[in-house]
Amino acid sequence: MLVPLKDSWSLVLGVSSGMGRATARALAAEGGNVIGIHLDTADGQEAAGELAAELRERGVAAHFFNRNVAAAATRADLVPRIAELTGDAGLRVVVHSVAFGSLLPFVPPPTATDVPTATVTAVPDARGGGTITARQMAMTLDVMAHSLVYWTQDLLAAGLLRAGAKIYALTSAGSSLVIPSYGAVSAAKSALESHVRQLAVELAPRGVAVNALRPGTTITPAFRKIPGSAQFDDACLARNPHRRLTRPEDVGEAIVVLSASDSSWVTGNVIGVDGGELIGT
Amino acid sequence: MTRNLEIAVDREELRALVADTLERSPAEVTDDADFVGELDLDSLMALEIVVRLEKRYRIRVKDEEFASITSLNGIYDLLTAKLGGT
């Protein structure tokens, strides 16, 4: 049965940028209230504040928290707060759109010069350069994949995920492709897709649907941090039968459409939201 | 002279903030313990520390200043410099 999103509550992890931001806007446009979590220094914090104000202008509630989504303390503090905010309604939609990982090769290239190094955020690694360390690998997997499981556990325990609720995790085609310096993030996306399948099966008896969304190549701040990303653009544009790249708004709209039903029959999938980019030639 | 001068930097409060972020006891966060080498700081924790410092002390930390997030002494020096000295 189709059910309107008006007056529903959604939780967006990674609300301040890219897909999370566009999804918050799309949900608010349907009259849905948004709780957002993000981790940003001053400029990003201001931008997030402006986004929250913009959502409120649409007549919905918007509560943003500048906290680390991967920290247990964040869940301990905010899950009770989310329960307070949503009251009897619980959460209709949970979106995991968290980009924070180490973009480093696993082994040095044959020539030591021109080693591509970067992190997804603007924050340089404390001991940057070279090849990925165990700590960087664990951090990337924890924040970009495992945090989905821990949030789901705690939200469920708090009674916030009821029949009809939808959980979405943002993955990428890079989960099964090899992209320079993307190894840890690729592993995180593979783990994320695996977690989605496991959660979908474990939550099916409760009527909660869990899916991964796989957007096509989208120009977001996180994408721009991938070494060599500028060279992807033209190739992906040429391959996309729509002759344009994916926009964050495409993802927001997909989430709204998929969340319009109280059915949990669409679950456990990796759903392409790419205009056919991956099957284009 | 900055408008933040009235906010003094309490080293013990700072130690507690760092210990909380790193999920360590305050005793482990000695003044010169190396965050990366001894306390398992990663870049996400570094960002979380900066976000908390910005909120608590009403400052802005530039990307290049993340290099100061190496020890409690490093943060203390960064803060006192930003807040106009002690």
Side-chain angles (χ1 to χ4, degrees):
Chain A
M1 188 179 76
L2 295 183
V3 280
L5 282 161
K6 187 165 169 42
D7 300 326
S8 67
W9 284 90
S10 294
L11 171 65
V12 180
L13 307 177
V15 77
S16 61
S17 184
M19 316 289 180
R21 184 180 181 84
T23 301
R25 282 190 168 128
L27 291 163
E30 297 301 312
N33 305 308
V34 179
I35 300 165
I37 305 178
H38 61 101
L39 188 63
D40 287 290
T41 53
D43 288 346
Q45 164 65 30
E46 277 173 23
E50 286 163 17
L51 175 64
E54 177 195 318
L55 302 188
R56 285 185 208 110
E57 278 168 25
R58 292 179 180 271
V60 304
H63 299 269
F64 287 10
F65 301 93
N66 193 3
R67 298 286 300 269
N68 176 5
V69 296
T74 301
R75 297 194 306 278
D77 290 346
L78 293 186
V79 169
R81 183 85 182 97
I82 293 166
E84 272 173 31
L85 286 168
T86 59
D88 294 334
L91 287 167
R92 174 78 168 276
V93 175
V94 176
V95 180
H96 185 279
S97 177
V98 180
F100 193 104
S102 293
L103 291 163
L104 290 164
F106 288 178
V107 298
T111 53
T113 56
D114 194 30
V115 180
T117 63
T119 53
V120 172
T121 71
V123 186
D125 281 299
R127 296 271 164 89
T131 53
I132 199 147
T133 64
R135 191 176 305 149
Q136 289 167 329
M137 183 78 87
M139 177 199 80
T140 303
L141 271 285
D142 191 54
V143 62
M144 296 188 77
H146 307 331
S147 63
L148 173 73
V149 176
Y150 310 141
W151 273 98
T152 301
Q153 288 174 332
D154 290 359
L155 292 170
L156 186 73
L160 292 166
L161 296 175
R162 305 170 195 176
K166 308 279 183 285
I167 300 173
Y168 303 98
L170 272 296
T171 184
S172 90
S175 65
S176 53
L177 295 172
V178 174
I179 299 167
S181 299
Y182 196 77
V185 178
S186 177
K189 293 302 193 186
S190 291
L192 185 68
E193 292 172 13
S194 182
H195 291 337
V196 161
R197 288 187 288 270
Q198 191 74 27
L199 288 170
V201 169
E202 293 192 17
L203 288 171
R206 299 171 189 266
V208 175
V210 189
N211 289 285
L213 300 182
R214 192 196 60 231
T217 304
T218 312
I219 308 303
T220 61
F223 175 74
R224 275 287 170 248
K225 303 283 185 192
I226 302 171
S229 64
Q231 291 139 40
F232 294 165
D233 298 11
D234 290 343
C236 296
L237 185 61
R239 199 164 59 231
N240 197 310
H242 281 77
R243 298 291 173 252
R244 72 165 174 85
L245 294 177
T246 301
R247 300 175 185 131
E249 293 74 23
D250 295 316
V251 176
E253 180 150 356
I255 287 176
V256 163
V257 168
L258 289 165
S259 304
S261 159
D262 63 2
S263 168
S264 57
W265 217 249
V266 176
T267 195
N269 303 289
V270 177
I271 301 171
V273 186
D274 65 355
E277 179 182 315
L278 213 58
I279 54 172
T281 51
Chain B
M1 185 84 183
T2 76
R3 67 189 167 78
N4 287 322
L5 257 182
E6 72 277 8
I7 302 178
V9 182
D10 180 307
R11 193 179 280 268
E12 295 318 307
E13 184 191 341
L14 197 57
R15 196 186 313 281
L17 182 153
V18 169
D20 188 53
T21 307
L22 299 181
E23 296 175 0
R24 297 275 179 165
S25 72
E28 290 177 278
V29 185
T30 57
D31 286 356
D32 57 2
D34 183 78
F35 286 173
V36 174
E38 297 173 56
L39 300 177
D40 290 338
L41 176 96
D42 61 35
S43 53
L44 182 60
M45 291 167 174
L47 175 59
E48 186 179 355
I49 287 174
V50 168
V51 168
R52 293 178 71 165
L53 294 176
E54 286 189 334
K55 263 190 255 188
R56 171 63 186 86
Y57 297 99
R58 288 180 256 155
I59 55 168
R60 278 172 172 263
V61 178
K62 301 189 195 86
D63 284 352
E64 56 268 28
E65 290 169 334
F66 275 68
S68 302
I69 312 296
T70 53
S71 67
L72 195 73
N73 279 338
I75 299 181
Y76 188 84
D77 293 346
L78 174 73
L79 283 177
T80 49
K82 282 195 160 296
L83 296 172
T86 50

